[in-house]
Amino acid sequence: MSDPRVVIDLDLPGATISRHLYGHFAEHLGRCIYGGFFVGEDSEIPNEGGIRLDVVDALRELGIPNLRWPGGCFADEYHWRDGVGPRAERPRMVNSHWGDVVEDNSFGTHEFLHLCELLGADPYVNGNVGSGTVREMSDWIEYLTRADDSPMAALRRANGRDEPWRVPFFGIGNEAWGCGGNMRAEAYADLARQYATYVRDHGDNRVYRIAAGANVDDYAWTDALMRALGCVSCGDGDVGPFQAMSLHYYTMSGEWQAKGSATDFTSEEWYRTLSRAFRIEELLTRHSTVMDRYDPARRVGLVLDEWGTWWDVEPGTNPGFLYQQNTMRDALVASVHFDAFHRHADRLVMANIAQTVNVLQAMLLTDPDTGALVKTPTFHVFAMNRGHHDARHLDAHVVGAETMTADGRELPLLSASASTTGNTALVSLSNLDEAADRSVVLDLRGRAVAGFEARILTGATTAAHNTPDAPDAVAPVAHAGVRAHERGLVVELPAHAYVTVELTLGA
Ligand code: AHR
Protein backbone atom coordinates (compact mmCIF):
# COMPACT_ATOMS: atom_id res chain seq x y z
CA MET A 1 0.00 0.00 0.00
CA SER A 2 1.38 3.42 -0.94
CA ASP A 3 1.92 6.14 1.64
CA PRO A 4 -1.04 8.39 2.43
CA ARG A 5 -0.88 11.86 0.94
CA VAL A 6 -1.92 15.25 2.22
CA VAL A 7 -2.68 17.46 -0.79
CA ILE A 8 -2.37 21.19 -0.15
CA ASP A 9 -2.86 24.03 -2.64
CA LEU A 10 -0.51 26.57 -1.11
CA ASP A 11 -1.81 29.36 -3.34
CA LEU A 12 -5.50 29.06 -2.40
CA PRO A 13 -5.91 30.56 1.08
CA GLY A 14 -9.39 30.44 2.61
CA ALA A 15 -10.94 31.88 5.77
CA THR A 16 -8.83 33.45 8.49
CA ILE A 17 -8.30 31.15 11.48
CA SER A 18 -9.04 33.51 14.34
CA ARG A 19 -6.51 33.32 17.15
CA HIS A 20 -9.59 33.17 19.39
CA LEU A 21 -10.02 29.51 18.37
CA TYR A 22 -7.10 28.99 20.76
CA GLY A 23 -8.98 30.54 23.70
CA HIS A 24 -9.16 29.45 27.32
CA PHE A 25 -11.55 29.01 30.20
CA ALA A 26 -11.01 29.52 33.94
CA GLU A 27 -13.80 28.73 36.37
CA HIS A 28 -14.08 28.92 40.14
CA LEU A 29 -13.76 25.16 40.23
CA GLY A 30 -11.35 23.05 42.25
CA ARG A 31 -7.81 24.44 41.97
CA CYS A 32 -8.22 26.35 38.72
CA ILE A 33 -8.47 29.85 40.21
CA TYR A 34 -7.26 29.26 43.78
CA GLY A 35 -3.86 27.53 43.70
CA GLY A 36 -3.81 27.58 39.90
CA PHE A 37 -3.96 31.21 38.82
CA PHE A 38 -4.20 32.87 42.21
CA VAL A 39 -2.14 32.15 45.30
CA GLY A 40 -2.60 35.43 47.19
CA GLU A 41 -0.06 38.16 47.81
CA ASP A 42 1.50 36.42 50.84
CA SER A 43 2.42 33.28 48.92
CA GLU A 44 6.06 32.24 48.54
CA ILE A 45 5.30 31.54 44.90
CA PRO A 46 6.33 34.62 42.91
CA ASN A 47 3.18 36.59 42.18
CA GLU A 48 1.84 39.96 41.25
CA GLY A 49 -1.22 40.94 43.25
CA GLY A 50 -1.60 37.27 44.15
CA ILE A 51 -1.47 36.05 40.53
CA ARG A 52 1.13 33.33 39.85
CA LEU A 53 3.78 34.68 37.51
CA ASP A 54 4.97 31.26 36.33
CA VAL A 55 1.46 30.52 35.10
CA VAL A 56 1.31 33.90 33.37
CA ASP A 57 4.68 33.32 31.68
CA ALA A 58 3.68 29.87 30.46
CA LEU A 59 0.39 31.07 29.00
CA ARG A 60 2.08 34.03 27.33
CA GLU A 61 4.23 31.45 25.49
CA LEU A 62 0.98 30.25 23.92
CA GLY A 63 -0.10 33.74 22.91
CA ILE A 64 -3.26 33.16 24.95
CA PRO A 65 -5.85 35.21 23.04
CA ASN A 66 -8.74 35.29 25.51
CA LEU A 67 -9.87 33.94 28.86
CA ARG A 68 -13.45 33.06 29.80
CA TRP A 69 -14.47 33.58 33.46
CA PRO A 70 -16.02 33.04 36.07
CA GLY A 71 -17.79 29.89 34.74
CA GLY A 72 -19.29 27.55 33.59
CA CYS A 73 -21.99 26.55 35.98
CA PHE A 74 -20.44 28.86 38.55
CA ALA A 75 -21.32 31.89 36.39
CA ASP A 76 -25.03 31.42 37.00
CA GLU A 77 -24.67 31.58 40.76
CA TYR A 78 -22.04 34.31 40.79
CA HIS A 79 -23.01 37.81 41.90
CA TRP A 80 -20.24 40.13 40.80
CA ARG A 81 -20.72 42.72 43.52
CA ASP A 82 -19.61 40.09 46.07
CA GLY A 83 -16.21 40.07 44.36
CA VAL A 84 -15.31 43.79 44.41
CA GLY A 85 -14.13 46.10 47.18
CA PRO A 86 -11.77 45.34 50.06
CA ARG A 87 -11.09 41.59 50.13
CA ALA A 88 -11.60 41.25 53.86
CA GLU A 89 -15.11 42.64 53.53
CA ARG A 90 -16.25 40.52 50.63
CA PRO A 91 -19.15 38.22 51.46
CA ARG A 92 -18.70 34.48 51.20
CA MET A 93 -20.86 32.09 49.22
CA VAL A 94 -21.26 28.37 48.66
CA ASN A 95 -19.91 26.99 45.40
CA SER A 96 -22.70 24.47 45.12
CA HIS A 97 -21.66 22.98 41.78
CA TRP A 98 -18.03 22.33 42.52
CA GLY A 99 -17.28 20.53 45.75
CA ASP A 100 -19.85 22.46 47.82
CA VAL A 101 -16.95 24.53 49.16
CA VAL A 102 -17.10 28.04 50.58
CA GLU A 103 -15.89 30.67 48.13
CA ASP A 104 -14.41 33.77 49.78
CA ASN A 105 -14.59 35.92 46.65
CA SER A 106 -10.96 37.00 47.04
CA PHE A 107 -10.55 36.58 43.28
CA GLY A 108 -13.13 38.87 41.69
CA THR A 109 -13.58 41.36 38.87
CA HIS A 110 -10.44 43.44 39.49
CA GLU A 111 -8.26 40.37 39.97
CA PHE A 112 -9.59 38.78 36.77
CA LEU A 113 -9.05 41.89 34.68
CA HIS A 114 -5.56 42.28 36.16
CA LEU A 115 -4.85 38.67 35.17
CA CYS A 116 -6.00 39.39 31.60
CA GLU A 117 -3.72 42.42 31.46
CA LEU A 118 -0.75 40.35 32.62
CA LEU A 119 -1.57 37.67 30.06
CA GLY A 120 -2.23 40.13 27.23
CA ALA A 121 -5.53 38.23 26.73
CA ASP A 122 -8.98 39.58 25.89
CA PRO A 123 -11.45 39.09 28.74
CA TYR A 124 -14.54 37.00 28.06
CA VAL A 125 -16.83 37.67 31.02
CA ASN A 126 -19.74 35.28 31.49
CA GLY A 127 -22.81 36.87 33.08
CA ASN A 128 -25.47 35.33 35.30
CA VAL A 129 -28.91 34.66 33.82
CA GLY A 130 -29.85 31.63 35.95
CA SER A 131 -29.97 33.41 39.32
CA GLY A 132 -29.06 36.99 38.45
CA THR A 133 -31.05 39.96 37.28
CA VAL A 134 -31.03 42.07 34.16
CA ARG A 135 -29.99 45.03 36.30
CA GLU A 136 -27.07 43.11 37.79
CA MET A 137 -25.78 42.24 34.33
CA SER A 138 -26.33 45.76 33.06
CA ASP A 139 -24.49 47.22 36.06
CA TRP A 140 -21.56 44.83 35.58
CA ILE A 141 -20.84 45.91 32.01
CA GLU A 142 -21.18 49.56 33.09
CA TYR A 143 -18.75 48.94 35.96
CA LEU A 144 -16.28 47.26 33.64
CA THR A 145 -16.33 49.54 30.62
CA ARG A 146 -17.68 53.03 31.38
CA ALA A 147 -15.35 56.00 31.60
CA ASP A 148 -17.38 58.92 32.98
CA ASP A 149 -18.87 59.52 36.43
CA SER A 150 -21.80 57.12 36.06
CA PRO A 151 -22.77 55.28 39.27
CA MET A 152 -20.94 52.08 38.34
CA ALA A 153 -17.87 53.88 36.97
CA ALA A 154 -17.72 55.81 40.25
CA LEU A 155 -17.96 52.58 42.24
CA ARG A 156 -15.09 51.09 40.21
CA ARG A 157 -12.99 54.15 40.93
CA ALA A 158 -13.81 53.93 44.63
CA ASN A 159 -12.51 50.34 44.41
CA GLY A 160 -9.20 51.54 43.04
CA ARG A 161 -9.47 51.41 39.25
CA ASP A 162 -9.74 54.67 37.38
CA GLU A 163 -9.70 53.63 33.72
CA PRO A 164 -12.37 51.33 32.36
CA TRP A 165 -11.29 48.00 30.96
CA ARG A 166 -11.90 46.82 27.43
CA VAL A 167 -14.27 43.85 27.53
CA PRO A 168 -14.89 42.56 24.01
CA PHE A 169 -16.70 39.31 24.87
CA PHE A 170 -19.68 38.78 27.19
CA GLY A 171 -21.64 35.56 27.77
CA ILE A 172 -25.40 35.70 28.41
CA GLY A 173 -25.57 32.87 30.95
CA ASN A 174 -24.19 29.36 30.59
CA GLU A 175 -25.76 25.97 29.83
CA ALA A 176 -29.25 27.41 30.26
CA TRP A 177 -30.57 23.94 29.36
CA GLY A 178 -28.91 22.53 32.52
CA CYS A 179 -27.03 24.08 35.44
CA GLY A 180 -27.82 27.58 34.15
CA GLY A 181 -31.53 27.35 34.94
CA ASN A 182 -32.92 24.14 33.40
CA MET A 183 -34.78 26.17 30.81
CA ARG A 184 -36.54 25.25 27.64
CA ALA A 185 -34.93 26.59 24.48
CA GLU A 186 -37.67 29.09 23.59
CA ALA A 187 -37.87 30.43 27.15
CA TYR A 188 -34.11 30.96 27.29
CA ALA A 189 -34.03 32.46 23.79
CA ASP A 190 -36.39 35.19 24.95
CA LEU A 191 -34.31 35.81 28.07
CA ALA A 192 -31.15 35.95 25.97
CA ARG A 193 -32.71 38.70 23.85
CA GLN A 194 -33.78 40.57 26.97
CA TYR A 195 -30.54 40.31 28.97
CA ALA A 196 -28.34 40.99 25.96
CA THR A 197 -30.26 44.19 25.28
CA TYR A 198 -28.97 45.65 28.54
CA VAL A 199 -25.36 44.62 28.00
CA ARG A 200 -24.66 48.06 26.58
CA ASP A 201 -21.78 49.36 24.53
CA HIS A 202 -20.31 52.07 26.77
CA GLY A 203 -17.99 54.61 25.18
CA ASP A 204 -16.01 52.92 22.45
CA ASN A 205 -16.18 49.45 24.01
CA ARG A 206 -17.96 47.13 21.56
CA VAL A 207 -19.34 43.98 23.16
CA TYR A 208 -19.72 40.71 21.28
CA ARG A 209 -22.61 39.04 23.12
CA ILE A 210 -22.64 35.26 23.19
CA ALA A 211 -25.91 33.47 24.00
CA ALA A 212 -25.73 30.17 25.90
CA GLY A 213 -25.99 27.59 23.16
CA ALA A 214 -26.48 23.91 22.63
CA ASN A 215 -25.09 20.84 24.29
CA VAL A 216 -23.47 18.42 21.85
CA ASP A 217 -26.04 17.53 19.16
CA ASP A 218 -29.02 19.53 20.39
CA TYR A 219 -29.68 21.12 16.99
CA ALA A 220 -33.17 22.17 18.11
CA TRP A 221 -31.52 24.51 20.66
CA THR A 222 -29.42 26.18 17.97
CA ASP A 223 -32.50 26.44 15.78
CA ALA A 224 -34.48 28.12 18.58
CA LEU A 225 -31.73 30.69 19.16
CA MET A 226 -31.43 31.46 15.47
CA ARG A 227 -35.20 31.82 15.20
CA ALA A 228 -35.14 34.19 18.16
CA LEU A 229 -32.64 36.38 16.37
CA GLY A 230 -35.02 36.73 13.43
CA CYS A 231 -33.80 37.95 10.08
CA VAL A 232 -30.10 38.38 10.63
CA SER A 233 -28.74 38.53 7.12
CA CYS A 234 -31.29 40.82 5.56
CA GLY A 235 -29.42 44.06 6.05
CA ASP A 236 -26.03 45.44 6.94
CA GLY A 237 -27.01 46.47 10.46
CA ASP A 238 -26.61 44.59 13.73
CA VAL A 239 -27.48 40.90 13.62
CA GLY A 240 -29.67 41.19 16.72
CA PRO A 241 -29.43 41.51 20.49
CA PHE A 242 -26.69 38.86 20.60
CA GLN A 243 -24.04 38.24 17.99
CA ALA A 244 -23.08 34.62 18.61
CA MET A 245 -24.14 31.43 20.32
CA SER A 246 -22.10 28.82 22.09
CA LEU A 247 -21.78 25.05 21.86
CA HIS A 248 -20.34 22.64 24.44
CA TYR A 249 -18.79 19.29 23.63
CA TYR A 250 -16.65 17.13 25.92
CA THR A 251 -14.75 13.99 24.92
CA MET A 252 -14.69 10.93 27.19
CA SER A 253 -14.00 7.30 26.51
CA GLY A 254 -16.74 6.01 28.82
CA GLU A 255 -20.10 7.46 29.74
CA TRP A 256 -21.14 10.27 32.06
CA GLN A 257 -21.17 8.08 35.21
CA ALA A 258 -17.84 6.38 34.45
CA LYS A 259 -15.82 8.50 32.08
CA GLY A 260 -12.64 6.43 32.14
CA SER A 261 -9.21 6.94 33.62
CA ALA A 262 -6.95 9.68 32.25
CA THR A 263 -3.85 7.48 32.29
CA ASP A 264 -4.94 3.86 32.50
CA PHE A 265 -6.75 2.97 29.29
CA THR A 266 -7.00 0.12 26.83
CA SER A 267 -6.38 0.13 23.12
CA GLU A 268 -10.16 0.11 22.57
CA GLU A 269 -10.54 3.18 24.80
CA TRP A 270 -7.74 4.95 22.93
CA TYR A 271 -9.50 4.58 19.58
CA ARG A 272 -12.97 5.22 21.02
CA THR A 273 -11.72 8.48 22.51
CA LEU A 274 -10.16 9.64 19.26
CA SER A 275 -13.27 8.66 17.33
CA ARG A 276 -15.31 10.78 19.73
CA ALA A 277 -12.87 13.65 19.28
CA PHE A 278 -13.42 13.38 15.51
CA ARG A 279 -17.14 13.82 16.14
CA ILE A 280 -16.49 17.54 16.56
CA GLU A 281 -16.34 17.74 12.75
CA GLU A 282 -19.91 16.45 12.44
CA LEU A 283 -21.15 18.70 15.26
CA LEU A 284 -19.63 21.86 13.78
CA THR A 285 -20.95 20.97 10.33
CA ARG A 286 -24.49 20.29 11.49
CA HIS A 287 -24.82 23.26 13.86
CA SER A 288 -23.45 25.46 11.07
CA THR A 289 -26.00 24.01 8.66
CA VAL A 290 -28.82 24.95 11.03
CA MET A 291 -27.37 28.45 11.33
CA ASP A 292 -26.97 28.71 7.54
CA ARG A 293 -30.71 28.34 7.08
CA TYR A 294 -31.21 31.66 8.84
CA ASP A 295 -27.87 33.28 8.21
CA PRO A 296 -26.31 32.16 4.92
CA ALA A 297 -23.90 35.11 5.04
CA ARG A 298 -22.44 33.70 8.28
CA ARG A 299 -22.66 36.86 10.33
CA VAL A 300 -23.70 35.10 13.53
CA GLY A 301 -20.77 33.41 15.23
CA LEU A 302 -20.52 29.93 16.69
CA VAL A 303 -18.43 29.78 19.87
CA LEU A 304 -17.31 26.39 21.22
CA ASP A 305 -16.67 27.82 24.65
CA GLU A 306 -16.23 24.48 26.42
CA TRP A 307 -14.43 21.53 24.87
CA GLY A 308 -11.84 18.95 25.83
CA THR A 309 -11.45 15.64 27.59
CA TRP A 310 -13.32 14.78 30.77
CA TRP A 311 -11.98 11.78 32.71
CA ASP A 312 -12.62 10.34 36.15
CA VAL A 313 -10.76 12.48 38.69
CA GLU A 314 -7.29 11.38 39.77
CA PRO A 315 -7.55 8.83 42.62
CA GLY A 316 -7.54 10.50 46.03
CA THR A 317 -8.62 13.92 44.77
CA ASN A 318 -11.91 15.70 45.49
CA PRO A 319 -14.54 14.41 43.00
CA GLY A 320 -15.95 17.93 42.75
CA PHE A 321 -12.62 19.43 41.71
CA LEU A 322 -12.27 17.67 38.31
CA TYR A 323 -8.50 17.30 38.55
CA GLN A 324 -7.12 14.93 35.89
CA GLN A 325 -3.80 13.98 34.31
CA ASN A 326 -3.11 14.64 30.66
CA THR A 327 -1.37 12.23 28.24
CA MET A 328 -0.48 11.89 24.57
CA ARG A 329 -4.10 10.85 24.11
CA ASP A 330 -5.23 14.29 25.30
CA ALA A 331 -2.66 15.91 23.01
CA LEU A 332 -4.14 14.14 19.98
CA VAL A 333 -7.71 14.91 21.06
CA ALA A 334 -6.62 18.56 20.98
CA SER A 335 -4.87 18.34 17.61
CA VAL A 336 -7.89 16.62 16.02
CA HIS A 337 -10.15 19.39 17.36
CA PHE A 338 -7.86 22.09 15.97
CA ASP A 339 -7.86 20.48 12.53
CA ALA A 340 -11.67 20.65 12.55
CA PHE A 341 -11.65 24.22 13.93
CA HIS A 342 -9.45 25.33 11.04
CA ARG A 343 -11.84 23.80 8.51
CA HIS A 344 -14.77 25.66 10.09
CA ALA A 345 -13.04 29.00 10.51
CA ASP A 346 -15.72 30.79 8.49
CA ARG A 347 -18.39 30.11 11.16
CA LEU A 348 -16.47 29.16 14.30
CA VAL A 349 -15.22 32.43 15.75
CA MET A 350 -13.96 31.30 19.14
CA ALA A 351 -13.23 28.16 21.15
CA ASN A 352 -12.23 27.79 24.79
CA ILE A 353 -10.66 24.64 26.12
CA ALA A 354 -11.90 23.51 29.53
CA GLN A 355 -9.98 24.43 31.58
CA THR A 356 -6.63 26.19 31.67
CA VAL A 357 -5.09 25.10 34.99
CA ASN A 358 -5.70 22.01 37.18
CA VAL A 359 -9.20 21.26 35.84
CA LEU A 360 -10.21 18.83 33.04
CA GLN A 361 -7.97 19.09 29.94
CA ALA A 362 -5.56 21.59 31.43
CA MET A 363 -2.52 23.27 29.90
CA LEU A 364 -0.85 23.47 33.29
CA LEU A 365 -0.91 21.39 36.46
CA THR A 366 0.31 22.72 39.78
CA ASP A 367 1.34 20.55 42.71
CA PRO A 368 -0.87 21.37 45.72
CA ASP A 369 2.00 20.74 48.17
CA THR A 370 5.12 22.10 46.49
CA GLY A 371 3.48 24.46 44.01
CA ALA A 372 5.59 22.96 41.18
CA LEU A 373 4.25 23.77 37.72
CA VAL A 374 4.04 21.19 34.93
CA LYS A 375 3.20 21.78 31.27
CA THR A 376 0.94 19.09 29.86
CA PRO A 377 1.10 17.45 26.41
CA THR A 378 -1.95 19.55 25.51
CA PHE A 379 0.03 22.71 26.33
CA HIS A 380 2.60 21.66 23.77
CA VAL A 381 0.00 21.15 21.01
CA PHE A 382 -1.23 24.70 21.63
CA ALA A 383 2.37 25.95 21.45
CA MET A 384 3.17 24.03 18.27
CA ASN A 385 0.01 25.42 16.62
CA ARG A 386 0.71 29.04 17.46
CA GLY A 387 1.57 29.72 13.82
CA HIS A 388 -2.08 29.06 12.88
CA HIS A 389 -3.26 32.10 14.88
CA ASP A 390 -4.83 34.59 12.44
CA ALA A 391 -3.35 32.72 9.46
CA ARG A 392 -5.46 31.81 6.40
CA HIS A 393 -6.77 28.28 6.22
CA LEU A 394 -5.47 26.00 3.46
CA ASP A 395 -7.49 22.93 2.51
CA ALA A 396 -5.47 19.83 3.40
CA HIS A 397 -6.99 16.84 1.60
CA VAL A 398 -6.02 13.54 3.20
CA VAL A 399 -5.86 10.83 0.51
CA GLY A 400 -5.31 7.14 1.08
CA ALA A 401 -5.14 7.16 4.89
CA GLU A 402 -5.99 3.95 6.66
CA THR A 403 -9.25 3.96 8.60
CA MET A 404 -10.85 1.74 11.22
CA THR A 405 -14.24 1.52 12.86
CA ALA A 406 -14.32 2.84 16.41
CA ASP A 407 -17.37 3.79 18.46
CA GLY A 408 -19.55 3.06 15.42
CA ARG A 409 -17.80 5.63 13.24
CA GLU A 410 -15.11 5.50 10.61
CA LEU A 411 -11.94 6.82 12.18
CA PRO A 412 -9.12 7.96 9.86
CA LEU A 413 -5.79 7.23 11.49
CA LEU A 414 -4.29 10.41 10.08
CA SER A 415 -5.55 13.93 10.77
CA ALA A 416 -4.17 17.06 9.10
CA SER A 417 -4.73 20.76 8.56
CA ALA A 418 -2.76 23.70 7.21
CA SER A 419 -2.65 27.47 7.08
CA THR A 420 -0.58 30.21 5.50
CA THR A 421 0.56 33.69 6.42
CA GLY A 422 1.67 34.41 2.84
CA ASN A 423 5.39 33.78 3.14
CA THR A 424 5.08 30.71 5.31
CA ALA A 425 2.72 27.78 5.77
CA LEU A 426 2.18 25.55 8.76
CA VAL A 427 1.08 21.92 8.37
CA SER A 428 -0.21 19.92 11.35
CA LEU A 429 -0.16 16.12 11.22
CA SER A 430 -1.48 13.63 13.80
CA ASN A 431 -0.78 9.90 13.64
CA LEU A 432 -3.61 8.37 15.65
CA ASP A 433 -2.32 4.82 15.28
CA GLU A 434 -1.30 3.70 18.74
CA ALA A 435 1.41 1.35 17.45
CA ALA A 436 2.28 1.81 13.75
CA ASP A 437 4.68 4.39 12.36
CA ARG A 438 3.71 5.98 9.05
CA SER A 439 5.23 7.97 6.21
CA VAL A 440 3.05 10.73 4.84
CA VAL A 441 3.62 12.52 1.56
CA LEU A 442 2.91 16.24 1.59
CA ASP A 443 1.72 16.87 -1.95
CA LEU A 444 2.40 20.61 -2.12
CA ARG A 445 0.98 22.54 -5.07
CA GLY A 446 0.80 26.12 -6.26
CA ARG A 447 3.91 27.58 -4.58
CA ALA A 448 7.55 26.59 -4.39
CA VAL A 449 8.88 25.49 -1.02
CA ALA A 450 12.16 27.17 -0.17
CA GLY A 451 12.73 25.53 3.20
CA PHE A 452 11.14 23.60 6.04
CA GLU A 453 11.49 22.95 9.74
CA ALA A 454 9.59 20.32 11.71
CA ARG A 455 8.80 19.58 15.36
CA ILE A 456 7.48 16.42 16.93
CA LEU A 457 5.57 15.64 20.11
CA THR A 458 5.32 12.03 21.22
CA GLY A 459 5.89 9.84 24.25
CA ALA A 460 7.23 6.42 25.13
CA THR A 461 3.64 5.14 25.39
CA THR A 462 0.19 6.42 24.51
CA ALA A 463 -0.30 7.20 28.21
CA ALA A 464 2.96 9.17 28.56
CA HIS A 465 2.48 12.31 30.63
CA ASN A 466 4.41 14.91 32.57
CA THR A 467 4.84 15.13 36.34
CA PRO A 468 6.96 17.34 38.63
CA ASP A 469 9.55 14.52 38.67
CA ALA A 470 9.52 14.06 34.90
CA PRO A 471 8.28 17.39 33.52
CA ASP A 472 9.53 16.75 29.99
CA ALA A 473 8.48 13.14 29.43
CA VAL A 474 6.31 14.57 26.65
CA ALA A 475 7.83 17.71 25.14
CA PRO A 476 8.35 18.86 21.56
CA VAL A 477 11.72 18.46 19.88
CA ALA A 478 13.08 19.18 16.39
CA HIS A 479 12.03 16.45 13.96
CA ALA A 480 14.63 15.19 11.51
CA GLY A 481 12.22 12.83 9.73
CA VAL A 482 11.30 15.13 6.84
CA ARG A 483 12.90 14.97 3.38
CA ALA A 484 12.28 16.13 -0.16
CA HIS A 485 9.95 14.10 -2.37
CA GLU A 486 8.95 14.45 -6.01
CA ARG A 487 5.56 15.79 -4.91
CA GLY A 488 6.89 17.99 -2.11
CA LEU A 489 7.99 16.41 1.14
CA VAL A 490 7.74 13.10 2.90
CA VAL A 491 7.25 13.14 6.66
CA GLU A 492 7.94 10.24 9.02
CA LEU A 493 5.18 10.03 11.62
CA PRO A 494 5.93 7.70 14.51
CA ALA A 495 3.01 6.00 16.27
CA HIS A 496 0.86 8.26 18.51
CA ALA A 497 2.73 11.38 17.46
CA TYR A 498 1.97 14.97 16.57
CA VAL A 499 4.15 16.77 14.03
CA THR A 500 4.14 20.32 12.70
CA VAL A 501 6.03 21.29 9.55
CA GLU A 502 6.68 24.96 8.92
CA LEU A 503 7.31 25.76 5.27
CA THR A 504 9.08 28.77 3.91
CA LEU A 505 7.33 29.60 0.65
CA GLY A 506 8.92 30.78 -2.56
CA ALA A 507 7.10 32.14 -5.59
O1 AHR B 1 -16.15 22.79 32.70
C1 AHR B 1 -16.86 22.19 33.73
C2 AHR B 1 -18.37 22.38 33.60
O2 AHR B 1 -18.84 21.71 32.48
C3 AHR B 1 -18.85 23.79 33.39
O3 AHR B 1 -18.97 24.50 34.58
C4 AHR B 1 -20.18 23.59 32.78
O4 AHR B 1 -20.57 24.67 31.96
C5 AHR B 1 -20.04 22.29 32.04
O5 AHR B 1 -21.09 21.43 32.30
Side-chain angles (χ1 to χ4, degrees):
M1 196 168 140
S2 59
D3 291 337
R5 276 185 300 139
V6 178
V7 183
I8 303 172
D9 285 310
L10 295 165
D11 58 344
L12 295 178
T16 297
I17 296 169
S18 170
R19 65 186 183 283
H20 290 295
L21 299 186
Y22 286 83
H24 288 265
F25 172 33
E27 180 165 12
H28 288 240
L29 194 179
R31 295 190 299 110
C32 182
I33 296 294
Y34 300 111
F37 279 106
F38 190 74
V39 284
E41 281 152 359
D42 298 334
S43 171
E44 284 172 8
I45 296 173
N47 69 81
E48 186 178 311
I51 295 167
R52 281 183 77 137
L53 290 174
D54 54 354
V55 166
V56 168
D57 287 345
L59 294 174
R60 285 185 73 96
E61 267 179 59
L62 301 182
I64 178 173
N66 65 65
L67 186 61
R68 176 177 182 238
W69 172 86
C73 294
F74 183 78
D76 281 294
E77 61 181 11
Y78 183 65
H79 300 281
W80 69 270
R81 279 183 187 246
D82 295 348
V84 297
R87 286 204 193 115
E89 293 169 24
R90 295 183 192 173
R92 290 165 175 251
M93 65 176 284
V94 175
N95 188 339
S96 60
H97 290 291
W98 306 119
D100 204 31
V101 294
V102 174
E103 158 74 50
D104 70 3
N105 278 309
S106 53
F107 187 92
T109 296
H110 290 247
E111 290 78 11
F112 172 65
L113 274 299
H114 184 201
L115 169 62
C116 288
E117 284 173 342
L118 292 175
L119 292 170
D122 283 338
Y124 170 8
V125 173
N126 209 117
N128 177 349
V129 171
S131 69
T133 63
V134 173
R135 178 172 184 176
E136 197 177 343
M137 193 179 282
S138 174
D139 282 351
W140 202 5
I141 197 73
E142 180 185 322
Y143 185 94
L144 288 162
T145 60
R146 198 164 171 99
D148 61 12
D149 61 350
S150 79
M152 289 302 116
L155 179 60
R156 184 191 66 238
R157 274 195 205 95
N159 287 332
R161 169 80 185 197
D162 187 19
E163 291 298 309
W165 292 282
R166 202 179 70 84
V167 177
F169 304 114
F170 199 96
I172 313 298
N174 170 72
E175 296 194 350
W177 39 263
C179 65
N182 282 311
M183 298 180 214
R184 292 176 308 109
E186 287 71 19
Y188 168 71
D190 282 341
L191 284 183
R193 290 180 61 95
Q194 181 189 356
Y195 276 68
T197 301
Y198 297 92
V199 178
R200 307 280 192 203
D201 287 338
H202 293 283
D204 58 8
N205 188 69
R206 293 285 164 274
V207 187
Y208 192 73
R209 299 163 193 81
I210 301 160
N215 189 32
V216 192
D217 56 359
D218 186 353
Y219 303 112
W221 189 279
T222 298
D223 191 75
L225 288 185
M226 289 305 294
R227 242 180 305 125
L229 270 181
C231 181
V232 291
S233 286
C234 298
D236 293 333
D238 291 342
V239 295
F242 49 89
Q243 290 73 46
M245 59 197 60
S246 64
L247 169 66
H248 288 180
Y249 177 56
Y250 285 99
T251 303
M252 44 193 91
S253 68
E255 300 310 324
W256 191 247
Q257 297 309 330
K259 303 177 187 74
S261 160
T263 52
D264 186 9
F265 49 84
T266 61
S267 171
E268 192 191 344
E269 287 174 302
W270 163 269
Y271 288 114
R272 196 189 309 139
T273 303
L274 292 167
S275 175
R276 290 181 180 183
F278 251 96
R279 192 176 172 213
I280 190 61
E281 179 75 43
E282 172 196 319
L283 295 172
L284 293 176
T285 302
R286 295 185 66 180
H287 282 286
S288 296
T289 303
V290 172
M291 295 173 79
D292 284 348
R293 281 176 47 206
Y294 299 87
D295 174 33
R298 303 200 164 173
R299 298 172 66 216
V300 180
L302 183 61
V303 172
L304 183 69
D305 59 12
E306 289 186 29
W307 70 273
T309 54
W310 194 325
W311 310 123
D312 295 336
V313 298
E314 285 303 305
T317 65
N318 187 325
F321 282 10
L322 310 188
Y323 177 77
Q324 64 188 41
Q325 250 298 352
N326 193 299
T327 69
M328 262 319 291
R329 180 173 59 161
D330 297 78
L332 293 176
V333 166
S335 65
V336 162
H337 274 75
F338 287 133
D339 291 341
F341 294 176
H342 300 163
R343 286 188 284 273
H344 289 270
D346 55 350
R347 176 67 87 179
L348 189 68
V349 296
M350 192 195 294
N352 306 74
I353 192 164
Q355 299 189 7
T356 318
V357 192
N358 290 335
V359 168
L360 299 178
Q361 189 172 354
M363 308 301 105
L364 302 169
L365 301 176
T366 67
D367 188 290
D369 301 321
T370 64
L373 180 78
V374 164
K375 293 174 178 166
T376 65
T378 300
F379 174 97
H380 295 304
V381 172
F382 273 70
M384 291 166 76
N385 270 13
R386 198 172 163 178
H388 290 303
H389 290 202
D390 295 328
R392 304 268 306 271
H393 175 243
L394 293 169
D395 280 330
H397 302 279
V398 177
V399 182
E402 229 178 287
T403 64
M404 67 181 291
T405 302
D407 201 42
R409 264 182 302 276
E410 192 179 22
L411 170 67
L413 294 177
L414 173 66
S415 179
S417 68
S419 70
T420 181
T421 57
N423 301 327
T424 61
L426 183 64
V427 183
S428 296
L429 299 165
S430 304
N431 182 3
L432 308 185
D433 199 308
E434 63 172 347
D437 302 347
R438 285 211 157 59
S439 297
V440 176
V441 173
L442 296 188
D443 189 336
L444 303 170
R445 304 174 180 189
R447 297 276 299 270
V449 174
F452 58 85
E453 212 170 288
R455 299 173 82 202
I456 183 166
L457 182 77
T458 189
T461 65
T462 52
H465 56 274
N466 297 332
T467 63
D469 292 335
D472 294 321
V474 183
V477 293
H479 185 39
V482 185
R483 56 185 193 281
H485 181 275
E486 57 186 340
R487 289 180 184 269
L489 297 172
V490 61
V491 182
E492 301 304 335
L493 278 186
H496 58 266
Y498 182 61
V499 167
T500 52
V501 186
E502 188 178 348
L503 309 172
T504 306
L505 301 181

